[in-house]
Amino acid sequence: LIDLFMPIMDGFETIKKIREIPAYKNLPIIALTASAETNLMDRAIGLGANLCITKPFNAQHLHFTIHELLNVGDLKNNIPKNNSDIIKISSEYKFINLKKIEDASLGSKLFIVDMLEIIHNEMPDLLCDAETQLKHLEFKAFSKVIHKMKNNLLMLGMDALRDDLNFMETQSNNNESKDEILNAFNRLKSYWEHAEIELIEAKKRVL
């Protein structure tokens, strides 16, 4: 599993270097990205990735994909089972939906709490960083922050922001879209204010 936008050495270069090693010629590689740009996925495939999956991914889909690439036999007995004691609160909120996190948890309440805690801790810094970059018209840096932020927000089921997130990430290098980018970012901040309240409540309920 290789994230395409890792620091130091990105996923594209990593895939290329892996494929240059004869022993790893047939090693299954799944590229992961929060970007919706098909050209990035095509590039990863062209460099040697077997598949490219967008984040946040469906846990069961990833499970089946890995089994297919590894040529594992009957999958019916290998499907992850969710524990019945998980609190199903995925669709009880207006601004967030925890279905993706619940599915990925495979029945672990601790996993759900940890994921919510990580997102809750990361978002203020990401928002502050993005606002600073936008204020100074550092559009490339702004785009990278939005990319990092996207996975957190979509993991929380905030699909209402998907179009704005994709727009900000892909258009932030175009100065002509500055006003539209600012409007989209302001919508994101306003939406997050409400979502954060629900996130805090959800953590309490799971515990």
Side-chain angles (χ1 to χ4, degrees):
L1 302 178
I2 298 181
D3 194 306
L4 292 181
F5 292 96
M6 300 183 293
I8 312 300
M9 182 190 294
D10 64 27
F12 301 106
E13 185 67 16
T14 305
I15 293 170
K16 181 181 177 182
K17 286 186 177 295
I18 289 174
R19 289 305 188 214
E20 289 173 350
I21 302 172
Y24 296 152
K25 183 179 179 180
N26 297 315
L27 178 73
I29 296 177
I30 301 174
L32 304 173
T33 178
S35 176
E37 297 184 61
T38 55
N39 62 311
L40 296 178
M41 301 180 194
D42 291 341
R43 182 183 170 195
I45 299 296
L47 287 170
N50 297 81
L51 292 167
C52 189
I53 296 178
T54 55
K55 300 185 296 183
F57 49 79
N58 176 279
Q60 192 172 90
H61 175 234
L62 180 62
H63 178 84
F64 272 87
T65 299
I66 291 173
H67 277 70
E68 281 187 348
L69 289 177
L70 296 179
N71 294 317
V72 175
D74 186 8
L75 297 180
K76 293 181 179 179
N77 296 323
N78 294 313
I79 299 174
K81 302 294 193 304
N82 284 337
N83 293 340
S84 59
D85 62 343
I86 281 293
I87 301 174
K88 291 297 181 182
I89 56 174
S90 59
S91 59
E92 295 184 18
Y93 295 104
K94 181 178 179 181
F95 295 93
I96 66 174
N97 187 311
L98 302 186
K99 186 178 187 306
K100 288 187 179 73
I101 294 179
E102 287 178 347
D103 289 346
S105 73
L106 303 183
S108 169
K109 291 182 181 180
L110 180 60
F111 177 90
I112 295 175
V113 174
D114 283 347
M115 284 297 299
L116 295 179
E117 193 70 30
I118 290 170
I119 294 172
H120 193 205
N121 289 337
E122 286 184 349
M123 280 302 299
D125 289 340
L126 290 173
L127 285 168
C128 182
D129 192 11
E131 193 159 28
T132 299
Q133 303 298 349
L134 191 57
K135 180 180 179 181
H136 292 92
L137 305 182
E138 297 288 345
F139 291 108
K140 288 186 178 180
F142 175 78
S143 177
K144 290 180 180 179
V145 179
I146 292 299
H147 182 83
K148 293 178 183 178
M149 196 183 301
K150 182 194 293 186
N151 191 53
N152 282 345
L153 298 179
L154 296 183
M155 195 68 182
L156 278 175
M158 296 167 65
D159 292 340
L161 293 175
R162 185 183 296 273
D163 288 344
D164 277 342
L165 288 165
N166 288 336
F167 175 81
M168 286 187 286
E169 183 182 359
T170 58
Q171 298 298 318
S172 54
N173 291 319
N174 182 355
N175 291 338
E176 295 179 2
S177 303
K178 183 172 65 175
D179 291 339
E180 290 86 347
I181 290 170
L182 180 60
N183 290 337
F185 184 67
N186 286 334
R187 286 193 295 271
L188 185 157
K189 287 198 303 179
S190 176
Y191 201 98
W192 171 252
E193 289 177 2
H194 298 287
E196 184 178 21
I197 295 172
E198 294 184 348
L199 187 155
I200 294 170
E201 173 62 23
K203 282 197 298 182
K204 293 178 181 178
R205 291 191 59 187
V206 176
L207 287 172

